[in-house]
Amino acid sequence: MKIIVHSILAVLLLTSCDFILKDHSTDDAVVVDQKPVVLGNDKDDKGCVASAGYMWSETRKGCIRVFEEGFRLTPYRSQADSVDVDGELVTLNAYVVFSEDKAVAELFLPNAKKSLLLKRESEGKPYVQSDWMLEAWKGYVLKKGNQIEFVSAVAVEKKIIGSDVGE
């Protein structure tokens, strides 16, 4: 029995000495990738930071977030215009920003690098530029040629029933 106790004590003594005498300064060392990462350094030629959602607006003469300042237009054929992103269907919307005098509608299409300026002749007339036309009808309807491409986004109200508190 004494031999077993002495053997256990010897193993513990040697293990603790190894732990104490060993250099542990590099045990938890974290290897850092030396590539410099600069966040928000993706400014375009106008100075807008795309990663923060900013785009240049000709009508506002500055960088704006179109999803905050513009009117959202959803695709007319929503399922056909949805894209698969990481296993989920995502709808790509268009946005319209109007000039102060409402004579120009600036159109921001999904995946487009620059906006498109649509102009109207007078109040009540549609905004037009080449084959694009934006008209006010139950909100806004954006057509390319005679084909409806985008319509005003409609808020869908959902009734919440029950409680999220466990019983």
Side-chain angles (χ1 to χ4, degrees):
M1 182 72 161
K2 285 184 180 182
I3 296 176
I4 295 174
V5 173
H6 288 290
S7 298
I8 292 174
L9 287 175
V11 169
L12 289 174
L13 180 64
L14 292 175
T15 305
S16 64
C17 288
D18 181 51
F19 183 75
I20 292 170
L21 299 175
K22 191 175 184 182
D23 182 21
H24 295 283
S25 63
T26 60
D27 285 358
D28 294 329
V30 177
V31 178
V32 179
D33 190 7
Q34 296 299 322
K35 294 178 187 174
V37 177
V38 181
L39 299 176
N41 197 23
D42 60 336
K43 291 183 180 179
D44 63 10
D45 59 338
K46 300 281 189 178
C48 301
V49 181
S51 64
Y54 288 96
M55 294 182 74
W56 178 259
S57 170
E58 289 295 328
T59 58
R60 303 285 171 89
K61 300 294 183 208
C63 298
I64 64 167
R65 288 177 154 174
V66 294
F67 54 87
E68 290 179 345
E69 297 190 33
F71 290 96
R72 182 168 58 109
L73 303 174
T74 58
Y76 185 63
R77 299 173 311 276
S78 62
Q79 286 298 331
D81 293 320
S82 297
V83 293
D84 189 344
V85 176
D86 296 330
E88 291 187 31
L89 286 179
V90 177
T91 302
L92 300 178
N93 297 306
Y95 291 89
V96 177
V97 176
F98 296 98
S99 61
E100 278 190 40
D101 62 358
K102 304 284 191 242
V104 177
E106 187 171 10
L107 178 60
F108 295 88
L109 293 169
N111 300 324
K113 299 285 184 199
K114 293 178 71 175
S115 62
L116 183 64
L117 297 177
L118 308 171
K119 297 177 182 173
R120 68 177 179 179
E121 295 173 10
S122 62
E123 191 173 336
K125 298 280 186 179
Y127 295 89
V128 181
Q129 207 287 329
S130 64
D131 56 346
W132 288 98
M133 182 173 63
L134 178 70
E135 56 187 352
W137 182 73
K138 294 184 179 181
Y140 291 103
V141 175
L142 180 64
K143 295 180 180 178
K144 185 172 185 178
N146 291 328
Q147 182 93 8
I148 297 175
E149 296 291 328
F150 292 90
V151 295
S152 290
V154 178
V156 177
E157 288 189 32
K158 302 227 178 203
K159 185 175 182 180
I160 300 173
I161 57 173
S163 172
D164 61 350
V165 179
E167 293 177 23

